[in-house]
Amino acid sequence: MKLIQLIYIMIKSLSIIFPVFNEELRLKSSFNHIKSFLKKEKKLKIEIIFVDDGSKDNSCNLIRKFINNFKSKNKVKFKIIKCETNLGKGSALKLGVKKAMNDWILTTDIDMSVSLFQISKWIKKKLIEKKHSVYFGTRSHKKSIVERNFIRKILGDVGSFLISLILNISIKDTQCGYKLYKKTHAKFAFSKLKNCGWDHDIELILLLKSRNIVIKELPVRWVHKDNSKVNIFLDPIKMFMGILTIRFRHL
């Protein structure tokens, strides 16, 4: 019996991209989380990119103030991209990825429903393998710890069923915002992205699949945060229409 040895890699440089839209109520706690992560994670060369997606509140000013007041011995680079109008999460991430410079790119949500420390756990547990270059956090993993309300769970389950049925996508959780890419693959997929809203995640999967890029799903600890922008009445309709649009465009 042959022994297959997996080759693990150490991530040395990381760009973290946060899309932001009217988040002033949650930014203070998010900034504290970012500072805590940067204070403890000293092995990584880190770049943080905030993409303000046309916020009408004080989000952009708060981000600028945070960057100006940030002090650390670590060599951390910050970038802020300001959109004049709301373009959608997919477009915001696309702009961020275009500006990202480091070898690996992490896209994640500013509410910190998945902690930044999750990537440190992935690295420590040697889950980042040389044979894979794209990793999706998934709430459906048997080792994931998930705290969310019943309605969000039902919406997620229905969405996953439709995505699997209509698009033949085997990824169990396409919508978890915590995703890690090797820079070259992120640059390729986001440069081709057409869908700007929540459904951008699904199109990304198909774009990566077109290049035979394998996505590996990893466990996360996911905690529901207040002030969610999920609309339980409109979002299921948008979800279904988005899936159909992607179906006709790619398949």
Side-chain angles (χ1 to χ4, degrees):
M1 181 177 180
K2 292 183 179 180
L3 179 64
I4 300 175
Q5 183 178 9
L6 297 177
I7 301 176
Y8 302 101
I9 61 174
M10 179 63 70
I11 296 175
K12 296 180 180 180
S13 68
L14 179 70
S15 295
I16 304 174
I17 302 173
F18 294 105
V20 179
F21 178 62
N22 293 341
E23 294 285 1
E24 65 178 0
L25 296 178
R26 294 196 280 202
L27 281 177
K28 183 177 180 180
S29 62
S30 299
F31 292 153
N32 288 335
H33 185 91
I34 292 170
K35 286 191 289 186
S36 178
F37 174 75
L38 294 176
K39 182 178 180 180
K40 293 182 180 180
E41 187 51 76
K42 298 178 180 179
K43 295 181 180 180
L44 290 174
K45 175 185 175 185
I46 295 176
E47 170 187 59
I48 293 182
I49 303 174
F50 297 98
V51 185
D52 187 296
D53 189 23
S55 295
K56 301 301 181 184
D57 62 5
N58 200 38
S59 293
C60 195
N61 290 331
L62 291 175
I63 293 170
R64 288 195 176 103
K65 184 177 180 180
F66 167 71
I67 294 173
N68 290 335
N69 294 337
F70 183 82
K71 295 179 180 179
S72 174
K73 294 180 181 179
N74 297 6
K75 293 183 178 180
V76 182
K77 291 185 178 180
F78 289 96
K79 293 177 183 177
I80 180 168
I81 301 171
K82 172 64 176 173
C83 303
E84 295 304 319
T85 58
N86 179 240
L87 301 174
K89 184 178 180 181
S91 289
L93 290 175
K94 184 173 183 175
L95 290 171
V97 169
K98 186 176 181 180
K99 295 292 185 180
M101 299 298 293
N102 288 342
D103 291 337
W104 287 83
I105 295 175
L106 175 69
T107 63
T108 186
D109 297 327
I110 195 67
D111 65 359
M112 305 298 171
S113 51
V114 179
S115 167
L116 291 177
F117 288 102
Q118 186 68 67
I119 192 169
S120 303
K121 294 178 182 178
W122 287 353
I123 295 172
K124 185 177 180 180
K125 293 180 179 180
K126 297 182 178 179
L127 297 179
I128 310 299
E129 305 165 3
K130 191 172 184 179
K131 68 176 182 177
H132 291 101
S133 50
V134 177
Y135 297 85
F136 281 13
T138 175
R139 292 161 291 189
S140 300
H141 197 285
K142 63 181 181 180
K143 292 184 179 180
S144 289
I145 300 172
V146 180
E147 300 175 26
R148 58 177 165 175
N149 60 39
F150 179 74
I151 294 177
R152 287 185 69 104
K153 185 179 187 305
I154 293 298
L155 287 176
D157 290 344
V158 171
S160 296
F161 172 76
L162 291 174
I163 290 165
S164 175
L165 178 67
I166 299 173
L167 299 176
N168 192 30
I169 288 177
S170 60
I171 300 297
K172 294 180 181 178
D173 183 4
T174 62
Q175 301 310 115
C176 179
Y178 205 84
K179 295 177 169 67
L180 177 68
Y181 307 81
K182 189 71 175 176
K183 180 175 69 174
T184 52
H185 295 328
K187 296 277 189 182
F188 157 72
F190 278 93
S191 70
K192 302 294 184 181
L193 188 67
K194 302 296 183 184
N195 289 64
C196 300
W198 69 270
D199 47 1
H200 77 276
D201 300 271
I202 304 171
E203 187 178 15
L204 285 172
I205 293 171
L206 294 177
L207 288 167
L208 292 167
K209 189 176 180 181
S210 72
R211 286 284 184 94
N212 295 318
I213 298 169
V214 178
I215 299 168
K216 183 173 182 179
E217 295 185 274
L218 294 180
V220 295
R221 184 176 190 275
W222 192 93
V223 180
H224 170 73
K225 301 294 183 178
D226 294 331
N227 301 312
S228 170
K229 296 181 175 65
V230 173
N231 187 310
I232 62 173
F233 300 107
L234 293 178
D235 286 355
I237 298 173
K238 292 180 180 178
M239 178 187 300
F240 183 68
M241 296 305 295
I243 292 172
L244 290 180
T245 299
I246 294 172
R247 173 70 174 80
F248 291 124
R249 177 179 293 156
H250 289 274
L251 301 177

